[in-house]
Amino acid sequence: MRPAIWIQWAILQGVPRAILSIQARRADPLARLLVGPQRGGDPLTLIEQIRARGQVNRTPFISATADHELCRAILRDNRFKVTNPANMGLPRPITWLIRRTDPQLPNPAEPPSMLQVDPPEHSRYRHPVAHAFTPRAIDKLRTRVIEVTNELLDRLASSRHPDLVADFAGPLPAEIIAEVLGVPEEVRSRMLDRGEKGAPLLDVGVSWKTFRRAMDSLQEGDKEFSDHIDRLRREPGDDIFSHIIRDGNLTRRELTATAVLLAGAGFETTVNLIGNAIVLLLQHPDQLAMLRDNPELWPGAVEEVLRFDSPVQMTSRTAGCDLELAGQHFAAHETVALLLGGANRDRDVFAHPDRFDITRANAKDHLAFSSGVHACLGASLARMEATIALQALFERFPDLQLTGTPTSRGLTTLHGFRHIPVCIASTAVGHGNAR
Ligand code: HEM
């Protein structure tokens, strides 16, 4: 399988990587943004440079927009398709080669992951998942979120120098998504490790080493989820995934793709939301004080974190035909990077966008969960997890402090921290449990 995977990498990642590297050396801000913060520089500065070039920043290979109105309009316009080789109008021999060497792994960035499929096929994958996330199912998860949060807080109380990613922001969503998928205890830690290795696949132009590691982890995940699906077919549980298997009428490959997408989307994003919120609040003690006096402001604070430091910084769409939208012309097959994090700093929508303000009245207008047919299916679950976890953490440990600079994950699309070293100080408040 190695040569096939190398060909896939060369076409889908290697060539874009080479082009982006050349463009980044020529100081093109979009290329510098796409090569990632380690090689390209500060994303917020680059986004503002892109914005300064107009509503759409066009380069020979890809366009980009950080304009809120245009991002939203593109996401909601069915003339725009998801970005995949078929929609990008690549030459036939190339698409043939991509098909011939497809390792058929459950890659969230490739069909049949619902993220990468257009309507009408898309609704066949999305509908059973949306249908299984019933209010009763979410309510059951709420009880589990509270339980897990309290267990983690109890453990934190006996640790004087914890890392709030490894010890709090990570384990909570991992446990909850494992619950959604009905995954047994022994598989959970392996799922986390695979998520970490697979997350770079959402970026453009990843290195051969990173790609190969991600493919290996997808291959292991494929096998493990296949066995898991067999188990749930024999003995269905009351978990959401058992309902999807029973009612969804999906093939095994479609089910493994759905499981891997849910595992990745449910974990890799929510860990960033909780981590980003912890860092922002510790860096803005005035906002934290406001939350202490007015706990009813917590849901709004979570929206402001989603806006200000969006866990998913970008997505893209490809024009399905020549078209006009919001006064802009898009040529068929033109791919547009939609800078969601940039749209969430658009001053035409958000006054003083660089101010972190938990009382911002229109924070919820952010595009952090995207919009249109692919809008996030787990938004209410993510909001619920973050609100419960953050309120309980700061009530239980009011003297929480950073003890070092939080380290970034270094990815482009997903924005979050790898480590948040803190000191929880001596005055843990016993009654600050999640409820
Ligand atoms: C803070 C947490 C989260 C953020 C910021 C987030 C963000 C997003 C975004 C931006 C998209 C759409 C991408 C696009 O339009 O191309 C998306 C799609 C999706 N998300 Fe989330 N997500 C989060 C949590 C979750 C959770 C907890 C779950 C599941 C339990 C989930 C499941 C999904 C699924 C299944 C899709 C694909 C929807 C489709 O293609 O129709 N997400 N998410």
Side-chain angles (χ1 to χ4, degrees), residues 144-160:
R144 189 70 191 127
V145 169
I146 293 172
E147 268 171 27
V148 177
T149 301
N150 287 333
E151 282 163 25
L152 293 170
L153 292 178
D154 288 346
R155 250 178 272 156
L156 276 178
S158 58
S159 157
R160 289 191 74 80

Side-chain angles (χ1 to χ4, degrees), residues 7-13 16 81-103 107-113 115-118 201 204 211 316-320 332-335:
I7 292 170
Q8 288 273 316
W9 170 79
I11 299 174
L12 299 172
Q13 304 285 348
K81 310 290 177 195
V82 293
T83 302
N84 61 30
N87 289 338
M88 287 165 78
L90 297 180
R92 261 166 202 240
I94 303 277
T95 46
W96 177 85
L97 199 57
I98 293 173
R99 265 202 316 277
R100 276 300 295 258
T101 54
D102 183 355
N107 185 340
E110 281 176 17
S113 154
L115 256 185
Q116 280 301 330
V117 178
D118 292 308
L201 287 175
V204 194
F211 188 76
S316 67
R317 293 292 185 269
T318 298
H333 308 306
E334 180 176 348
T335 293

Side-chain angles (χ1 to χ4, degrees), residues 114-115 122 126 177 265-266 269 315 317 368-370 373-374 376 378 382:
M114 75 178 91
L115 256 185
H122 169 256
R126 182 170 167 115
I177 204 65
T269 51
T315 182
R317 293 292 185 269
F369 290 120
S370 189
V373 292
H374 291 280
C376 178

Side-chain angles (χ1 to χ4, degrees), residues 75 82 113-117 122 126 129 133 141 173 177 180 258 261-274 306 310-317 338 340 367-379 381-383 385-386:
L75 288 166
V82 293
S113 154
M114 75 178 91
L115 256 185
Q116 280 301 330
V117 178
H122 169 256
R126 182 170 167 115
V129 181
F133 271 92
L141 288 173
I177 204 65
V180 166
T258 302
L261 173 65
L262 283 174
F267 171 69
E268 291 298 326
T269 51
T270 315
V271 57
N272 296 345
L273 170 59
I274 298 174
L306 283 159
S310 310
V312 179
Q313 282 285 312
M314 68 177 80
T315 182
S316 67
R317 293 292 185 269
L338 306 173
L340 304 176
L367 293 175
F369 290 120
S370 189
S371 190
V373 292
H374 291 280
C376 178
L377 265 175
L381 175 58
R383 286 179 162 123
E385 282 183 53

Side-chain angles (χ1 to χ4, degrees), residues 246-430:
R246 196 190 57 207
D247 304 330
N249 200 17
L250 300 178
T251 65
R252 174 187 295 267
R253 178 151 188 247
E254 291 162 354
L255 283 170
T256 41
T258 302
V260 170
L261 173 65
L262 283 174
F267 171 69
E268 291 298 326
T269 51
T270 315
V271 57
N272 296 345
L273 170 59
I274 298 174
N276 295 355
I278 292 171
V279 172
L280 276 171
L281 289 168
L282 290 175
Q283 288 171 341
H284 294 82
D286 56 322
Q287 304 287 304
L288 196 50
M290 223 183 322
L291 284 163
R292 284 210 178 98
D293 297 339
N294 309 280
E296 70 284 1
L297 294 178
W298 271 107
V302 169
E303 297 307 325
E304 178 66 349
V305 174
L306 283 159
R307 180 196 76 81
F308 191 86
D309 198 1
S310 310
V312 179
Q313 282 285 312
M314 68 177 80
T315 182
S316 67
R317 293 292 185 269
T318 298
C321 54
D322 285 335
L323 62 95
E324 304 288 327
L325 184 66
Q328 293 282 342
H329 176 79
F330 295 91
H333 308 306
E334 180 176 348
T335 293
V336 191
L338 306 173
L339 308 181
L340 304 176
N344 293 340
R345 299 278 187 123
D346 185 337
R347 63 192 68 249
D348 288 344
V349 179
F350 304 105
H352 306 291
D354 299 329
R355 187 185 293 163
F356 177 62
D357 174 6
I358 59 155
T359 63
R360 185 182 292 278
N362 70 343
K364 219 174 174 175
D365 292 341
H366 63 71
L367 293 175
F369 290 120
S370 189
S371 190
V373 292
H374 291 280
C376 178
L377 265 175
S380 54
L381 175 58
R383 286 179 162 123
M384 183 249 282
E385 282 183 53
T387 309
I388 291 174
L390 292 164
Q391 180 171 359
L393 175 75
F394 285 103
E395 284 183 0
R396 180 86 166 256
F397 303 117
D399 298 329
L400 202 64
Q401 280 173 13
L402 288 171
T403 53
T405 311
T407 0
S408 157
R409 295 179 74 185
L411 300 170
T412 307
T413 302
L414 297 180
H415 189 253
F417 294 99
R418 194 181 297 285
H419 300 293
I420 306 177
V422 293
C423 156
I424 59 174
S426 50
T427 52
V429 179

